[in-house]
Amino acid sequence: MRLGACTIIAPMSSQALLVPELPAPPSRGLGIYVHIPFCVRKCAYCDFNTYAGLEALHETYVAALCREITQAAPTHGHRKVDSVFIGGGTPTVLSGSQLARILGALRAGFSMVPDCELTVEANPGATDQSRFRELADLGVNRLSLGAQSFQEAELRFLGRIHGVAELGTAVDAARAAGLQRINLDLIFGLPGQERVAWHRSLDAALALAPEHLSLYSLIVEPETPLAAWVASGRVAAPDDDLAADLYEDARERMAAAGYLHYEIANWVRPPVAGEAVDAWTSPPGASRHNLRYWRNEDYLGFGPGAHSCLHQPAAEGAAHQARRWWNLKSVPEYIRRLGAGQEPEDQSERVVGALAMAESMMLGLRLVREGLSWAAFQRLHGVDARECYAPILAELSEWGMLESSSSALRLSAKGVPLGNQIFSRFLP
Ligand code: SF4
């Protein structure tokens, strides 16, 4: 599911070294990502670390994953965990008892707050009401469904295992099972996609009244079937101009439907129609887990290829530094290492100085309502972003790309479609 792109932040430095752990006080919260690297079938566009046909490894994988979680608990278990995101992959290919063991390991090793957001990704073609009921019984309180399109031809092109009918069925079944926070992922910018088809998909998604919608443009990732089709000329490369138009259409349609745009690719349905939400705040219903990434806060990732990042803020003494590390990607090797009592960490890096500050700027500016908090930046890096980036901020503001308040900086409505160009201005 596309949301995985948000759950694993790619390293931005080419310097990868093994660096030691940073101590962290319990007062700072923590998010946990758990990777399930299995799918029923690989979609044509997907380059996530996930595999079809590995059913024989499910049981040993769950044992290895629980071992990694348990091994991390003595070091990190004192932190208050306020979000858990079980993604992949398709977590629901695992049995209810396997998912229960994973959650049991998390609850045994970590201090999860009572209202911890607990999201599970699911594929509409690999779930039913009894499975959703199991998830609800396990304490899952947020479901992210990879819908991707409400057009049969587009779903076939993408290689999805479900048709349009299963999308509504899955949402109804999830609600009947008691899962009331539902996200739908949609993809736009398919080669040759007609605007009217995109409008129909958006309208069909909105008709299901999901609490949250994530809209992603199709990216041709290397070494995917889609990349081979484009290279051979079998399909046209996605058109950036078309994707930009479709994105604008989405912004308009979502606003007309009352959804609140809070991150470049994410919208929330207000919990109560007409309820006022501060214009400079991410609304209730925003993904707490993904907010953590965009606010450049701490997270741990478990499973093959999962990334982790822990900060030592400047406010806690020495200059800010972050330690980021990621696990090896091979599922069999991951299982072997954990079975041998070894760590699955592959590489790590220290992120400091101008690069660390640029990451905070680029991530924070993705939050199109709350923006980058001046105070949070100062706490983390020990310097004032307004001073560090004065010339860039002045120029971008003059062009009408940014707007600021006494507490935050964000993209203007004009700046949102140009986010990537704006973000790159902060890179050292
Ligand atoms: S369901 Fe498709 S897009 Fe999602 S992780 Fe599996 S292969 Fe990738």
Side-chain angles (χ1 to χ4, degrees):
M1 275 138 261
R2 297 285 298 178
L3 199 58
C6 296
T7 55
I8 299 176
I9 307 282
M12 300 182 67
S13 160
S14 58
Q15 289 182 312
L17 308 160
L18 281 174
V19 294
E21 302 271 354
L22 296 174
S27 54
R28 295 210 321 276
L30 186 68
I32 291 180
Y33 173 73
V34 179
H35 189 63
I36 308 300
F38 306 118
C39 284
V40 175
R41 189 174 74 204
K42 195 82 180 172
C43 300
Y45 57 94
C46 180
D47 76 335
F48 296 159
N49 191 37
T50 175
Y51 307 89
L54 292 188
E55 289 75 14
L57 294 183
H58 286 190
E59 187 59 27
T60 46
Y61 176 72
V62 170
L65 183 61
C66 290
R67 203 163 295 139
E68 187 191 6
I69 293 168
T70 304
Q71 282 179 192
T75 309
H76 305 290
H78 62 293
R79 308 279 299 273
K80 294 270 183 237
V81 175
D82 60 12
S83 70
V84 172
F85 194 107
I86 303 181
T90 305
T92 49
V93 299
L94 297 181
S95 69
S97 67
Q98 288 168 332
L99 288 168
R101 279 162 51 203
I102 295 166
L103 283 166
L106 285 169
R107 290 191 171 110
F110 288 83
S111 173
M112 287 163 67
V113 301
D115 71 336
C116 182
E117 177 185 271
L118 210 174
T119 304
V120 170
E121 283 189 322
N123 195 330
T127 39
D128 56 24
Q129 192 167 331
S130 63
R131 172 47 57 90
F132 289 136
R133 179 79 63 194
E134 284 175 334
L135 294 179
D137 289 346
L138 289 172
V140 173
N141 51 29
R142 187 170 181 273
L143 185 72
S144 184
L145 283 169
Q148 315 311 1
S149 170
F150 284 76
Q151 304 295 308
E152 297 289 3
E154 292 179 359
L155 290 173
R156 277 196 301 277
F157 171 77
L158 293 169
R160 303 292 299 177
I161 61 168
H162 56 85
V164 172
E166 281 98 328
L167 300 175
T169 306
V171 171
D172 290 346
R175 292 213 191 284
L179 294 166
Q180 295 305 334
R181 285 183 68 192
I182 296 176
N183 169 66
L184 297 182
D185 287 349
L186 292 181
I187 295 180
F188 62 92
L190 280 61
Q193 185 176 28
E194 293 186 8
R195 277 171 102 151
V196 67
W198 173 232
H199 297 170
R200 285 199 191 115
S201 272
L202 278 174
D203 292 346
L206 289 167
L208 294 172
E211 284 70 23
H212 193 285
L213 269 162
S214 299
L215 311 180
Y216 301 103
S217 65
L218 181 68
I219 294 172
V220 180
E221 302 287 0
E223 296 176 29
T224 58
L226 177 60
W229 298 341
V230 170
S232 69
R234 182 175 153 191
V235 299
D239 176 340
D240 290 346
D241 291 337
L242 172 66
D245 288 343
L246 299 180
Y247 181 71
E248 280 310 302
D249 290 354
R251 285 174 74 193
E252 283 173 21
R253 249 176 163 77
M254 299 293 283
Y259 278 68
L260 301 175
H261 192 193
Y262 77 97
E263 194 271 343
I264 297 266
N266 288 279
W267 283 257
V268 158
R269 180 163 67 87
V272 177
E275 181 184 326
V277 180
D278 185 300
W280 284 82
T281 307
S282 292
S287 164
R288 188 191 289 175
H289 188 78
N290 288 331
L291 281 175
R292 179 171 285 289
Y293 298 129
W294 297 314
R295 290 173 178 159
N296 208 4
E297 295 175 339
D298 292 354
Y299 56 88
L300 292 180
F302 296 118
H307 287 227
S308 302
C309 184
L310 295 179
H311 294 270
Q312 179 180 287
E316 289 169 10
H320 162 264
Q321 56 179 315
R323 179 180 187 270
R324 189 156 50 205
W325 70 98
W326 50 99
N327 286 346
L328 55 91
K329 292 178 79 171
S330 159
V331 179
E333 177 62 9
Y334 174 88
I335 293 170
R336 191 200 66 73
R337 280 228 206 150
L338 268 303
Q342 299 166 356
E343 293 292 336
E345 182 175 320
D346 184 15
Q347 294 187 72
S348 65
E349 62 184 357
R350 187 89 75 202
V351 189
V352 296
L355 179 61
M357 293 195 292
E359 290 188 5
S360 285
M361 295 300 291
M362 295 191 295
L363 291 167
L365 287 176
R366 292 190 63 93
L367 292 168
V368 297
R369 287 177 70 89
E370 74 170 58
L372 173 103
S373 158
W374 301 125
F377 189 97
Q378 174 94 41
R379 266 197 310 278
L380 191 60
H381 299 288
V383 289
D384 189 332
R386 286 165 289 201
E387 292 171 11
C388 291
Y389 296 109
I392 299 172
L393 297 181
E395 188 177 48
L396 290 171
S397 300
E398 198 177 317
W399 293 344
M401 298 296 159
L402 298 175
E403 51 192 33
S404 61
S405 73
S406 59
S407 57
L409 174 78
R410 68 185 182 191
L411 297 176
S412 64
K414 189 174 155 191
V416 168
L418 301 170
N420 286 338
Q421 289 103 301
I422 294 170
F423 302 153
S424 65
R425 297 292 309 277
F426 296 95
L427 284 170

